């Protein structure tokens, strides 16, 4: 054996920046996980020197032999490929270390060791580091991590056995050997998600339910940000201690002030920072030293000013996480929690929300001011509101997990400008949305992904995929940091697809967002899309019918029994139809009778009530009748539009019972359309990413070994597809569209690259359908069986596929299976930058599909990867 070279003789490889990730241990404590660096040599010596004899014995599997400092320092020099070490930081110190060394004789195996500082061994660092090292090993071609553990090292044994990874252990003895397959099974992902969920909620408690709050930069002058934050905390009824921090003031807003966070009577759970940008880093360091658990940086002057500001805010985030703190912002307006457990108004907004059932995350600080003002005018109550600003740490994904279990929140609103980790968002949203509606407003971006996914376009950008298998995000989760919006946003089709797959209601404006929230916060979603319209004016009713059709709703004929009830109640001259025109002479009693009748109709799922107040009538009587009818039929939503009626929103409230009212009927119809689509999604069985037969991933990887970037040969493309159970075969010329009933249809499947979301699958029929009508469906990988089913059936040309038009249709089951195989292929093989199958012959039911041509392009090493 040769002597290893000294550090000065080593040529250091490129540092893997993508492995730097914030982390949360089981207790909710923040940390920062990153690869070890040469400059960590002294830090590593201090870490090893602080370990107890018992910990060293567990680490060395026997009698304690303390290594020389120069030997320990060499551990900071790794090649990041065949040897990799990750450290979890606590402040400026190492709290935990994990290292693997690849087996030179079997490169798919590696020895792994874990070392956790004594004081941190009960917090969950071992499990967190296992998730991170497993993801890094997968990305580097390692399939099995091997570990030897003393038989009485119960903590480490429990980490392996409780991880959910497939673990094989050797026979019992003094030393137990473990083989850990790093390709996670569903159980591993589920356990990692539960651990993450618990840790996130615990880490956010000091932010959203603090026991004490410091305001650093508190100002004596009213109408300044620092002053108004203190004043709102006091006016809002916060039950804990409020500590204004100002070295030149004795009091702020009537509360005693302190010169520094270091001299406060107790370490505050939460600190709001409202000082100039250049002073923020030092203030954050002081907060960490004082034991603050969460900070909100209200200050501006960071990422929105350019690259230097962006670097500063990312350094702030890394420092905060390594110091055990969560950070909101910068460039935000604060945090509001109206629930009885908090009563926290940690914001400078002059408009504070009334308590209610809606929670909201907003990425824009200035927009948040308008949001809270609009919510008050609409009488929409909030349980919580968080302005995440640049979201360098606390993100929408974190807040979703908090509100998921908040009993005071029933609807979640999101203002999303940029995405940090869209796959983590999708995973969380799919879990939350069946129980609580999620409504998002996103402005959208134009044309970043190919409509038809041509192979010669697009570069796969975005975060690194890190070797995760189809359907499984990295349990440790990459950073959700988003930062200010830039020009390289996700394509609009990718955003819509992500929301649709996750059950998120997408809106295009804040008004539309709040319109939908008003309905879902106060009324149940309709069981279907059939709507009855009650009106006293024909013109608005006609507009409403058109708006319903545009929103995916139907205005069907009423049942005969319902028509009889209407004629009996309103007289023989009444229009017993849908819309039901009660005429301008209608009274409040007529409205009550008509609503009772239509809501009792089994063919009606919801009602829209229109009222044009005549001069001689009183809107309050009609409003009372509407409330009575809605209360009597609680399973079906009722919405209203009182055209020309001022102050009607106040009339349609009675305790907990609220009938949403809209200035115009189009808004009422659009809101009902959103609610009906959400209910249809919620009622459909959840999809799964299936295990597909006839998939040989090992063969596909061996085929790609050593391949150069760029297009692959047709033969190699066919062999790769064959490894995933897709045969490429020429069936002769297509008869094309329009050749008569039963003729074959040609379609295409392609994979393009979205700069944020990674692989996006596109499907459509060839020819005019895609080229002229843009009839193309998109989905973000990985696709579930439900995604594939909805994708192929969402085309406007779907009647040609299922046989409703032009013959027996095509083999939809085979088509959906092909879509799933393509999704699995690009998930397993991040080398694939783009792919297109064109044409695909769609054959009659039972005959399958025929892929006649395939093109594949490989990414170069600097562009390889996708999303985690």
């Amino acid at each position: 054996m040769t002597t290893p070279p000294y550090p000065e003789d080593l040529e250091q490889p490129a540092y893997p920046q993508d492995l730097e990730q914030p982390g949360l241990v089981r207790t909710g404590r923040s940390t920062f996980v990153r690869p070890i660096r040469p400059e960590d040599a002294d830090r590593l010596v201090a870490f090893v020197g602080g370990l107890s004899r018992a910990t060293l014995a567990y680490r060395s599997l026997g009698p304690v032999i303390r290594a020389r400092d120069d030997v320990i320092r060499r551990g900071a020099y790794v090649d990041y490929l065949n040897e990799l070490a990750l450290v979890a930081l606590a402040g400026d110190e190492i709290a935990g270390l994990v290292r693997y060394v690849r087996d030179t004789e079997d490169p798919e195996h590696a020895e792994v060791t874990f070392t956790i500082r004594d004081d941190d061994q009960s917090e969950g660092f071992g499990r967190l580091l296992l998730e991170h090292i497993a993801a890094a090993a997968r990305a580097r071609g390692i399939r099995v991590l091997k570990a030897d553990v003393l038989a009485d090292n119960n903590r480490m044994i429990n980490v392996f056995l409780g991880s959910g990874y497939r673990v094989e252990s050797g026979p019992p003895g003094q030393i137990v050997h473990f083989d850990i397959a790093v390709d996670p099974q569903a159980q591993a992902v589920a356990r990692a998600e539960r651990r993450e969920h618990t840790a996130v909620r615990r880490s956010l408690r000091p932010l959203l339910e603090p026991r004490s709050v410091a305001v650093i930069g508190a100002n004596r002058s009213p109408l300044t940000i620092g002053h108004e934050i203190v004043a709102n905390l006091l006016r809002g009824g916060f039950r804990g201690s409020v500590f204004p921090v100002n070295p030149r003031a004795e009091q702020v807003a009537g509360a005693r002030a302190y010169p520094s966070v270091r001299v406060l009577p107790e370490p505050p759970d939460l600190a709001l920072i409202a000082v100039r940008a250049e002073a923020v880093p030092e203030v954050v360091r002081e907060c960490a030293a004082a034991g603050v658990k969460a900070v909100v940086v209200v200050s501006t002057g960071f990422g929105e000013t350019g690259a230097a500001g962006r670097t500063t805010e990312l350094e702030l985030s890394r420092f905060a996480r390594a110091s055990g703190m969560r950070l909101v912002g910068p460039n935000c307006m604060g945090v509001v929690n109206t629930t009885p457990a908090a009563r926290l108004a940690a914001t400078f907004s002059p408009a504070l929300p009334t308590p209610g059932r809606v929670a909201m995350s907003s990425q824009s600080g200035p927009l948040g001011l308008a949001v809270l003002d609009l919510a008050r005018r609409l009488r929409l109550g909030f349980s919580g509101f968080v302005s995440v600003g640049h979201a360098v740490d606390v993100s929408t994904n974190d807040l979703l997990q908090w509100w998921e279990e908040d009993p005071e929140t029933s609807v979640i609103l999101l203002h999303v400008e940029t995405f940090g980790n869209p796959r983590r968002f999708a995973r969380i949203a799919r879990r939350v949305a069946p129980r609580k509606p999620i409504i998002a407003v996103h402005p959208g971006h134009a044309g970043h992904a190919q409509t038809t996914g041509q192979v010669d376009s697009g570069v796969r950008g975005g975060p690194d995929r890190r070797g995760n298998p189809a359907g499984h995000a990295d349990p440790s989760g990459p950073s959700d940091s988003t930062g200010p919006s830039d020009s390289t946003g996700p394509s609009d089709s990718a955003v819509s697809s992500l929301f649709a797959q996750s059950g998120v209601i997408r809106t295009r404006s804040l008004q539309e967002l709040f319109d939908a929230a008003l309905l879902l916060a106060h009324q149940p979603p309709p069981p279907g899309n059939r709507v009855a319209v009650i009106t006293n004016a024909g013109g608005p009713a006609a507009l409403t019918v058109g708006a319903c059709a545009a929103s995916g709703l139907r205005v069907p004929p009423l049942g005969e029994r319902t028509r009889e009830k209407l004629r009996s109640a309103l007289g023989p001259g009444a229009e017993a139809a849908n819309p039901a025109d009660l005429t301008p002479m209608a009274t409040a009693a007529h409205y009550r009778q008509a609503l009772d009748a239509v809501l009792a109709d089994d063919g009606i799922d919801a009602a829209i009530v229109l009222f044009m107040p005549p001069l001689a009538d009183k809107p309050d009587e009609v409003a009372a009748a509407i409330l009575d009818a809605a209360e009597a039929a609680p399973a079906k939503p009722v919405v209203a539009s009182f055209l020309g009626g001022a102050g009607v929103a106040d009339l349609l409230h009675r305790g907990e019972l609220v009938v949403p009212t809209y200035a115009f009927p189009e808004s009422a119809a659009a809101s009902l359309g959103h609610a009906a689509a959400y209910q249809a999604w919620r009622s459909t069985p959840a999809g799964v990413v299936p295990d597909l037969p006839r998939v040989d991933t090992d063969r596909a990887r061996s085929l790609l070994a050593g391949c150069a970037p760029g297009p692959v040969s047709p033969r190699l493309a066919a062999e790769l597809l064959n490894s995933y159970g897709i045969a490429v075969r020429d069936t002769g010329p297509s008869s094309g569209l329009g050749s008569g009933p039963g003729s074959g249809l040609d379609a295409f499947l392609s994979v393009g690259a979205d700069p944020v979301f990674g692989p996006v699958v596109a499907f459509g029929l060839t020819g005019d359908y895609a080229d002229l009508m843009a009839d193309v469906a998109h989905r973000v990988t990985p696709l579930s069986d439900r995604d594939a089913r909805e994708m192929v059936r969402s085309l406007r040309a779907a009647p040609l596929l299922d046989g409703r038009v032009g013959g027996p249709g095509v083999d939809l089951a085979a088509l959906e299976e092909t879509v799933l195989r393509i999704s699995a292929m690009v998930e397993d093989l991040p080398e694939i930058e783009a792919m297109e199958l064109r044409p695909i012959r769609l054959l009659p039911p039972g005959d399958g599909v025929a892929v006649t041509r395939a093109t594949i392009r490989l990414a170069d090493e600097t562009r390889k990867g996708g999303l985690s």
Side-chain angles (χ1 to χ4, degrees):
M1 176 182 293
T2 59
T3 303
Y6 285 97
E8 55 265 26
D9 299 327
L10 291 176
E11 180 180 349
Q12 284 300 306
Y15 177 76
Q17 190 81 30
D18 62 291
L19 296 186
E20 288 193 349
Q21 302 293 344
L24 293 171
V25 295
R26 176 181 51 81
T27 59
R29 174 179 167 188
S30 296
T31 185
F32 194 77
V33 179
R34 63 165 173 80
I36 203 163
R37 300 191 292 238
E39 53 266 35
D40 291 323
D42 289 338
R43 188 179 285 112
L44 187 60
V45 170
F47 169 69
V48 175
L51 300 176
S52 67
R53 295 179 63 86
T55 296
L56 285 171
Y58 283 138
R59 170 63 181 82
S60 58
L61 302 179
V64 177
I65 302 175
R66 289 193 178 271
R68 301 194 314 270
D69 288 355
D70 61 328
V71 175
I72 296 173
R73 286 191 176 90
R74 293 182 194 178
Y77 293 80
V78 297
D79 63 11
Y80 304 120
L81 177 63
N82 297 313
E83 183 179 8
L84 174 66
L86 303 178
V87 294
L89 298 178
D92 195 43
E93 299 176 345
I94 297 174
L97 169 73
V98 60
R99 183 188 305 271
Y100 80 63
V101 179
R102 193 189 299 263
D103 189 331
T104 55
E105 296 182 357
D106 188 354
E108 292 190 345
H109 289 68
E111 295 282 350
V112 65
T113 56
F114 294 78
T115 311
I116 311 299
R117 195 168 60 178
D118 288 71
D119 292 343
D120 300 305
Q121 289 179 2
S122 61
E123 300 231 14
F125 278 95
R127 189 156 296 172
L128 176 69
L129 287 172
L130 173 59
E131 292 168 0
H132 280 259
I133 200 70
R138 287 196 301 272
R140 286 154 178 78
I142 294 171
R143 312 290 287 280
V144 176
L145 293 174
K146 302 185 294 183
D148 290 322
V149 182
L150 288 179
D152 63 344
N153 190 353
N154 293 321
R155 282 178 174 163
M156 205 66 237
I157 291 174
N158 289 335
V159 166
F160 294 149
L161 296 179
S163 67
Y165 292 101
R166 183 165 51 85
V167 176
E168 296 181 2
S169 58
Q174 186 178 5
I175 296 177
V176 182
H177 177 79
F178 289 94
D179 285 340
I180 306 156
V182 298
D183 192 9
Q185 307 299 305
Q187 184 182 45
V189 175
R191 291 184 180 180
E193 288 183 1
R194 286 197 297 270
R195 187 199 64 78
E196 175 201 68
H197 177 69
T198 300
V200 166
R201 285 188 53 81
R202 287 174 175 169
S203 75
L204 293 182
R205 193 168 298 281
L207 171 70
L208 296 171
E209 293 180 355
R211 293 167 297 181
S212 54
V213 181
V215 182
I216 303 170
N219 199 301
R220 288 172 292 186
S221 303
L223 302 182
T224 58
I225 289 177
H227 184 278
E228 293 307 305
I229 293 173
V230 176
N232 280 339
L233 283 166
L234 298 174
R235 286 196 297 261
F238 179 63
R239 296 174 177 176
S241 302
V242 178
F243 302 123
V245 175
N246 184 327
R248 293 180 295 277
E250 294 184 359
Q251 284 191 341
V252 173
R256 178 187 172 184
Y258 296 83
S260 168
V261 70
R262 295 188 298 266
V263 299
L264 296 180
E266 63 184 76
D269 282 345
L270 172 65
L272 287 98
I273 300 174
V275 300
R276 65 187 188 279
E278 56 268 26
V280 169
E282 179 58 32
V283 170
V284 171
R285 284 191 286 270
E286 289 182 358
C287 288
V292 175
K293 298 180 178 65
V295 292
V296 175
V297 180
V298 177
S299 310
T300 61
F302 291 91
E304 75 278 11
T305 65
R310 177 65 175 159
T311 298
T312 300
E313 67 185 16
L314 290 178
E315 290 173 351
L316 279 177
S317 171
R318 293 189 183 101
F319 175 81
R321 293 302 290 263
S323 301
M325 298 189 298
R326 298 305 307 266
L327 184 149
V328 174
N331 193 13
C332 69
M333 57 170 287
V335 177
V336 176
N337 187 351
T338 69
T339 63
R343 296 185 181 179
L344 177 71
T347 176
F348 57 86
S349 172
L352 296 179
T354 57
R357 308 289 298 176
V358 176
M360 184 172 182
S361 166
S362 173
Q363 284 189 345
S364 170
L367 184 63
L369 297 172
V371 163
L372 293 181
D373 181 64
L374 177 61
R376 284 192 69 90
R377 289 190 280 113
L378 293 176
R379 293 196 56 169
L380 183 65
F382 276 69
S383 59
F385 179 90
V386 179
S387 169
V388 295
H390 293 174
V392 295
D393 177 25
V394 173
S395 68
T396 294
N397 292 341
D398 294 322
L399 296 170
L400 277 174
Q401 298 193 77
W402 176 267
W403 291 322
E404 177 182 4
E405 295 186 18
D406 180 15
E408 304 297 325
T409 298
S410 58
V411 179
I412 300 171
L413 308 184
L414 307 176
H415 165 246
V416 184
E417 292 178 349
T418 56
F419 288 88
N421 184 351
R423 297 200 175 192
R424 184 168 176 244
F425 170 83
R427 193 173 77 244
I428 297 168
R430 283 179 174 177
R431 188 177 71 226
V432 177
R435 295 186 291 117
K436 298 183 180 184
I438 302 172
I439 313 173
V441 58
H442 185 280
H445 299 274
H448 286 288
Q450 280 282 348
T451 301
T452 59
Q454 300 292 331
V455 168
D456 59 353
S457 66
V459 175
R460 177 171 298 168
D464 173 53
R465 182 177 298 168
R466 300 169 64 188
N468 293 300
H472 301 308
D474 171 16
S476 62
S479 171
D480 289 320
S481 302
T482 58
S485 179
D486 57 34
S487 60
T488 310
S491 67
D492 198 61
S493 61
V495 173
S496 294
S497 298
L498 181 78
F499 286 160
Q501 289 171 249
S502 308
V504 176
I505 300 169
R506 182 182 184 180
T507 61
R508 301 281 181 168
S509 68
L510 283 174
Q511 185 64 59
E512 188 182 2
L513 177 88
F514 281 112
D515 286 345
L518 274 173
L519 192 157
L520 288 167
H522 301 301
Q523 293 283 307
N529 68 344
R530 301 164 299 179
V531 178
V533 180
I534 309 295
T535 183
N536 67 346
L543 292 173
T544 305
V545 172
C548 286
S551 302
L553 302 171
R554 295 173 50 223
V555 183
L558 300 174
E560 180 57 34
R561 185 176 180 183
T562 303
R563 293 198 299 272
E564 290 177 2
K565 289 181 180 179
L566 287 175
R567 283 191 290 265
S568 173
L570 306 176
E575 183 67 29
N578 191 12
D581 188 350
L582 309 184
T583 78
M585 302 303 294
T587 65
H590 291 139
Y591 269 92
R592 172 66 195 273
Q593 292 167 330
L595 263 177
D596 285 343
V598 299
L599 291 175
D601 191 327
D602 291 337
I604 295 298
D605 301 308
I608 299 177
V609 185
L610 309 178
F611 179 64
M612 179 71 75
L615 293 176
D617 209 348
K618 295 181 180 179
D620 56 341
E621 296 178 359
V622 176
I626 294 171
L627 287 168
D628 291 340
E631 188 173 27
K636 296 181 179 181
V638 176
V639 298
S641 179
F642 276 40
L643 293 91
V648 175
D650 292 336
L651 299 178
L652 287 167
H653 285 64
R654 181 189 294 161
E656 295 294 320
L657 176 62
V658 177
V659 171
T661 180
Y662 303 90
F664 299 104
E666 294 89 344
S667 299
S671 299
L672 264 181
H674 284 309
Y678 164 71
Q679 179 62 18
W681 177 87
R682 189 167 69 168
S683 302
T684 304
V688 297
V689 178
D691 291 325
L692 299 166
R694 307 190 316 279
V695 170
D696 191 343
T697 305
D698 291 339
R699 177 171 178 262
R701 286 173 175 156
S702 67
L703 289 170
L704 288 175
C707 287
V712 305
S713 68
R715 179 177 178 180
L716 178 55
E719 291 182 358
L720 287 168
L721 287 163
N722 185 261
S723 299
Y724 277 79
I726 301 173
V728 180
R729 51 197 171 97
D730 190 354
T731 61
S734 168
S735 57
L737 294 175
S739 300
S743 64
L745 300 179
D746 282 355
F748 68 86
L749 268 172
S750 65
V751 180
D754 187 271
V756 174
F757 292 166
V760 177
V761 179
F763 168 72
L765 299 182
T766 58
D768 292 347
Y769 286 96
D771 298 338
L772 298 181
M773 300 174 60
D775 191 14
V776 179
H778 298 84
R779 290 295 185 271
V780 177
T781 64
L783 272 63
S784 68
D785 53 0
R786 171 176 171 172
D787 297 329
R789 183 171 58 251
E790 292 177 349
M791 183 181 190
V792 301
R793 287 168 170 77
S794 65
L795 297 181
R796 294 192 294 277
L800 291 171
L801 303 179
D802 60 20
R804 284 177 286 168
V805 174
V810 305
D811 194 335
L812 286 172
L815 176 58
E816 292 164 13
E817 183 178 316
T818 303
V819 171
L820 290 170
R821 291 182 183 278
I822 291 298
S823 171
M825 185 173 176
V826 298
E827 284 290 300
D828 289 349
L829 307 174
E831 297 90 342
I832 296 177
E833 181 180 58
M835 181 192 320
E836 184 171 49
L837 280 56
R838 177 194 292 261
I840 303 173
R841 298 299 311 281
L842 306 181
L843 304 176
D847 291 345
V849 301
V851 178
T852 63
R853 185 171 181 270
T855 51
I856 294 176
R857 174 184 291 274
L858 303 182
D860 63 38
E861 289 296 324
T862 62
R863 288 155 42 184
K864 187 183 297 184
L867 290 167
S868 55

